[in-house]
Amino acid sequence: LHLGLTDFDMSCDSDPYIFSTDTLPADRRFLPPLANGRLGWRVYSNIMHMGGVYNGEGGRCHRADVPCPFAVEVEMEETTQMITVSSSRPGIFTHTLSSANVTISQSLYSHRYYSNLMVMEVLLVRQVTSEEPVTVKLVSSFTPQSKDIVFESGPDYKGGKYIHGTTKSAEIPGGSCPMVHLIWSHIPSTLTLLPEQSQARWGFILVGTNSLDIAKASFDEGLDLMAAGNLRPSHENAWKELWLQSKVEVTGSETLSKAVIGCMFYLLSAFPSIHDTSSSFGGVSPGGLSNGGDGQDYWGHVFWDQDLWMYPGIALFYPKLARAVLEYRVGTIDGAKDNAQKQGHKGLKFPWESAVSGREVCPEDIYGQQEIHINGDVTLAFQRYFYLTEDLSMFTEGRGSEVIYGVADYWVSRVTWSPEDQKYHLIGVMPPDEYYYNVNNSVFTNTVAKFSLQFAVELAALLQHPAPTEWQKVADGLKIPFDQESQYHPEFDGYIKGHPVKQADAVMLSYPLDLPMSPEVRRNDLAMYEPVTDPSGPAMTWSMFAIGWMELGEAEKAQSLLQKCFSNIQGPFQVWSESSDGSGAVNFLTGMGGFLQAVLFGYTGFRVQKEGLAFSPLLPKDISELCIRGVNYLGSQMDWLLRKNEVCIIVRERTGSAKTSDLQVVLKASGTKIPLSPGELRSI
């Protein structure tokens, strides 16, 4: 997978943006996914997916399998060498076969700018002078059928094959079934390099959309780009633009550097183009757009994984992509309202598993009924966006205020008053630690509910909206479980110390929730839960422990825990599995998001707060330098360079319309506010 080079470069082993191998993985699940926020595909698979295209009603809803005409492998006689490169800079997968006579390179990519397009290119280069033609085979496993979509063939369009169809079942009763239109270049079974040719290149395009008119227009655009020689350059330039806005590079550990770049690449691939104005983004599922068929990779549904695990690392650099996540949630308001009503409550209840409508599509009712912390996870993303951007338009014409107020109303109607302790309780819930259910007062759930209520009050004041007094009253009165004797936070009422834990739960109170606590309590929480956390649990857990130990200044302890994540990275293409043994969801973006947060918010100590962007840097001994370029805060792009005893900050440009007149960051340890000016280098 070549994340940056146009043609193969033998220096790729030293470039952290390039993942190369001379042997493809035996388990094809770990071949690189290629996606662009609208189309997703794992190379060589005969199935692809389209954003927002699901089949099945309710709990049977899953990403619809779409047949992929690019399920083509190149074969040649007497292969002497194979090199496969995946490059994250330009997002291109290149598979190269060589013999004594010819080298053939097959390149594949989901176009980063023209998101209805996927591309396959084949290059044949003669190695020796000969008057003989050279022929290679293109072996296809494509069939124009799907178990989820009833396809019909249509007339060819400008030499391209055309099929169209609708999914077999709508997500909700009486709902409309999504339409799919595919147009693709004819792909022959062989390609021949003629005697007079020293090399030749062939290009093939595939268009996938929900409209025939858009499909034809996109196919025309692809043909025009190809004719002008601008098909690949326009894709590479779009990736270049993205990378210029976010650079996270580590000096001292090549393994860590490559892992961070891989996480950024696959996460960015799950989001739409920064130039996309269609508002058709369908959210991010744990396995990304390349995965999620029936019974696989969580069916392609959107969970809290998007809002709490994947979102923070993207929002730090790309306010437009962050807003796309919020707009996805706004688009599901009607479904969230229906979910709340079905539970007998007011306001909005976002689904534990979401597709397009916002109605609950989890196959098992208990999660939708009890894992209600999803509501607070969603509002936390909105709150983080506001503190990063001060963009009130997202909450006015963007309807974000409806989300915040609706969730607040839900909490007020969901709590129960306890006369015994004079506190509000949330009873009968499932915490993030899914080993337990039907418990009372999950400490994570209650804390995230408290903070979402407080943000509702804050936002209402800013927008001069009359806030019900119950919002603040319930926020002030919600029980936050705490064991005074042991000075730690039990996961829920009745949690027994030493009982097994599935994944990060109470250890997330300080980060990302920002619940104030003493260093002693923070240490006790980490020490209490670390030894009882399932070592086979989901990949993102150890990132939260690592951030916790970095908060306490124990960089080496943090680094040892972060190292556990590397067992979830399945080489050679930096594809993550949910579990360290390779099982569970593949291309597990949730784990990548957690890992990226450990670097972006752990090493730096970044905290996105109402008072400002706080930082408290700490590097482990094997990391000499961390460069973070493009942090987007209040409309300014900042570059940070962290060394052992120095932090350098420079503001590159100020383009935002934030009301704050003076840009500043806050040194967390002392509370010192450091003013920044565009073009000024500050060394601390």
Side-chain angles (χ1 to χ4, degrees):
L1 177 61
H2 192 296
L3 305 180
L5 299 180
T6 301
D7 295 309
F8 182 69
D9 184 331
M10 293 306 291
S11 66
C12 64
D13 286 343
S14 61
D15 188 335
Y17 286 85
I18 297 176
F19 315 140
S20 62
T21 181
D22 57 6
T23 306
L24 292 175
D27 189 338
R28 293 213 155 192
R29 294 179 306 148
F30 302 129
L31 283 167
L34 300 176
N36 60 16
R38 186 165 299 175
L39 302 176
W41 177 58
R42 187 173 64 247
V43 298
Y44 299 137
S45 173
N46 59 7
I47 287 176
M48 57 185 277
H49 297 107
M50 295 173 57
V53 178
Y54 292 86
N55 181 46
E57 182 182 316
R60 297 184 300 278
C61 169
H62 58 273
R63 285 205 194 281
D65 286 351
V66 179
C68 183
F70 285 173
V72 174
E73 297 191 50
V74 177
E75 291 185 359
M76 61 186 296
E77 296 180 0
E78 300 178 357
T79 300
T80 59
Q81 186 181 27
M82 177 181 75
I83 301 173
T84 304
V85 180
S86 180
S87 171
S88 55
R89 271 204 187 96
I92 297 173
F93 173 88
T94 301
H95 185 54
T96 301
L97 299 174
S98 296
S99 71
N101 297 321
V102 68
T103 294
I104 178 169
S105 295
Q106 178 189 25
S107 297
L108 303 159
Y109 51 97
S110 294
H111 206 287
R112 183 67 252 185
Y113 189 90
Y114 300 99
S115 54
N116 295 322
L117 279 177
M118 289 170 55
V119 182
M120 179 174 75
E121 299 171 351
V122 180
L123 172 66
L124 287 178
V125 180
R126 196 182 294 276
Q127 298 299 306
V128 295
T129 302
S130 171
E131 295 183 0
E132 297 295 322
V134 177
T135 299
V136 297
K137 296 179 181 178
L138 301 183
V139 181
S140 174
S141 60
F142 166 72
T143 56
Q145 287 132 17
S146 165
K147 62 183 178 60
D148 295 313
I149 302 169
V150 180
F151 276 110
E152 297 179 10
S153 295
D156 288 359
Y157 179 73
K158 295 188 177 180
K161 301 294 183 181
Y162 169 55
I163 59 175
H164 60 95
T166 59
T167 59
K168 296 179 179 179
S169 177
E171 179 187 334
I172 56 176
S176 60
C177 293
M179 297 191 68
V180 174
H181 296 264
L182 297 181
I183 304 176
W184 69 96
S185 308
H186 171 66
I187 301 173
S189 58
T190 61
L191 296 175
T192 299
L193 186 63
L194 300 176
E196 64 272 16
Q197 293 178 306
S198 61
Q199 68 176 46
R201 186 187 297 269
W202 291 263
F204 308 91
I205 57 175
L206 163 65
V207 167
T209 73
N210 56 9
S211 155
L212 176 57
D213 289 341
I214 295 175
K216 288 180 175 180
S218 297
F219 195 75
D220 290 345
E221 197 153 35
L223 292 176
D224 291 343
L225 288 165
M226 192 182 299
N230 200 33
L231 186 59
R232 182 186 283 218
S234 59
H235 166 77
E236 292 178 338
N237 288 337
W239 266 112
K240 181 180 180 180
E241 183 182 17
L242 272 182
W243 286 122
L244 284 173
Q245 293 185 41
S246 65
K247 176 181 178 182
V248 185
E249 292 186 352
V250 178
T251 302
S253 172
E254 183 179 338
T255 303
L256 178 60
S257 182
K258 186 162 285 202
V260 168
I261 289 167
C263 290
M264 282 295 295
F265 171 68
Y266 288 122
L267 283 166
L268 284 171
S269 297
F271 283 81
S273 165
I274 55 176
H275 301 288
D276 188 349
T277 57
S278 66
S279 300
S280 60
F281 178 54
V284 186
S285 58
L289 194 49
S290 302
N291 303 301
D294 192 7
Q296 300 173 347
D297 303 301
Y298 296 104
W299 295 269
H301 296 162
V302 179
F303 291 72
W304 73 315
D305 306 45
Q306 169 190 258
D307 310 85
L308 191 128
W309 294 99
M310 307 171 201
Y311 174 87
I314 297 298
L316 193 62
F317 300 103
Y318 302 100
K320 287 183 180 178
L321 300 185
R323 182 161 176 152
V325 169
L326 309 188
E327 289 171 346
Y328 166 76
R329 290 298 188 184
V330 167
T332 65
I333 282 177
D334 288 345
K337 189 177 299 182
D338 185 66
N339 297 333
Q341 290 173 352
K342 286 179 178 176
Q343 289 188 2
H345 300 298
K346 298 178 181 178
L348 305 177
K349 163 60 177 67
F350 285 95
W352 179 241
E353 299 188 28
S354 180
V356 175
S357 72
R359 287 163 178 80
E360 186 62 67
V361 292
C362 182
E364 299 178 63
D365 289 342
I366 189 171
Y367 296 96
Q369 290 290 328
Q370 295 195 13
E371 207 148 359
I372 60 174
H373 65 82
I374 179 65
N375 262 13
D377 307 326
V378 168
T379 58
L380 183 64
F382 279 80
Q383 182 177 358
R384 186 185 296 262
Y385 175 81
F386 179 65
Y387 291 163
L388 277 170
T389 67
E390 291 191 355
D391 175 18
L392 276 174
S393 71
M394 179 64 235
F395 298 88
T396 52
E397 54 261 40
R399 299 178 62 198
S401 60
E402 295 179 43
V403 171
I404 304 305
Y405 302 159
V407 168
D409 288 339
Y410 176 84
W411 292 128
V412 168
S413 71
R414 181 64 171 76
V415 296
T416 301
W417 175 252
S418 170
E420 289 80 9
D421 62 5
Q422 295 289 294
K423 293 286 185 181
Y424 289 103
H425 291 198
L426 285 168
I427 62 175
V429 305
M430 180 183 289
D433 176 8
E434 293 170 328
Y435 284 169
Y436 304 94
Y437 58 91
N438 207 31
V439 302
N440 298 337
N441 296 314
S442 152
V443 69
F444 180 91
T445 304
N446 286 26
T447 301
V448 83
K450 176 187 182 75
F451 290 159
S452 62
L453 283 161
Q454 290 176 342
F455 182 59
V457 173
E458 177 187 339
L459 182 67
L462 283 170
L463 298 181
Q464 298 182 331
H465 173 82
T469 56
E470 290 84 2
W471 290 357
Q472 189 66 57
K473 183 179 179 182
V474 172
D476 293 341
L478 257 175
K479 178 181 180 180
I480 307 298
F482 184 71
D483 186 322
Q484 290 287 352
E485 182 179 347
S486 299
Q487 288 291 295
Y488 90 108
H489 292 96
E491 278 195 355
F492 49 83
D493 287 353
Y495 172 77
I496 300 173
K497 286 189 286 186
H499 275 211
V501 168
K502 177 186 177 183
Q503 62 188 62
D505 187 311
V507 297
M508 296 193 293
L509 296 177
S510 179
Y511 177 87
L513 299 194
D514 242 1
L515 179 70
M517 65 182 72
S518 69
E520 176 195 5
V521 171
R522 180 61 158 146
R523 181 179 300 275
N524 290 345
D525 283 350
L526 294 166
M528 183 69 67
Y529 293 110
E530 183 186 325
V532 298
T533 297
D534 189 341
S536 300
M540 64 280 193
T541 286
W542 300 114
S543 303
M544 290 299 113
F545 279 98
I547 291 173
W549 287 112
M550 280 187 264
E551 282 186 337
L552 295 171
E554 298 200 21
E556 304 315 314
K557 171 74 170 173
Q559 197 72 347
S560 69
L561 290 168
L562 195 60
Q563 287 291 328
K564 292 187 177 187
C565 296
F566 286 99
S567 59
N568 295 80
I569 302 176
Q570 309 298 333
F573 299 116
Q574 301 293 312
V575 174
W576 281 56
S577 59
E578 183 175 11
S579 300
S580 57
D581 62 1
S583 62
V586 174
N587 197 38
F588 191 51
L589 298 177
T590 313
M592 297 186 203
F595 185 83
L596 195 59
Q597 286 187 63
V599 174
L600 292 175
F601 298 92
Y603 292 157
T604 65
F606 283 156
R607 296 295 182 268
V608 181
Q609 299 171 335
K610 181 180 179 180
E611 298 76 21
L613 179 63
F615 69 103
S616 180
L618 181 68
L619 295 180
K621 62 184 179 182
D622 59 331
I623 304 300
S624 59
E625 189 173 283
L626 174 63
C627 176
I628 301 176
R629 176 186 174 94
V631 172
N632 203 307
Y633 178 58
L634 300 183
S636 295
Q637 285 194 316
M638 296 188 287
D639 298 341
W640 294 68
L641 181 64
L642 279 63
R643 299 190 179 104
K644 292 297 182 183
N645 298 305
E646 182 183 32
V647 178
C648 298
I649 313 168
I650 187 167
V651 179
R652 279 194 280 136
E653 56 182 322
R654 188 78 186 273
T655 58
S657 57
K659 295 178 181 178
T660 306
S661 57
D662 295 317
L663 185 68
Q664 60 186 19
V665 291
V666 182
L667 185 59
K668 192 174 181 183
S670 62
T672 304
K673 294 183 178 180
I674 302 166
L676 300 172
S677 300
E680 177 188 6
L681 175 66
R682 292 298 303 268
S683 181
I684 303 160

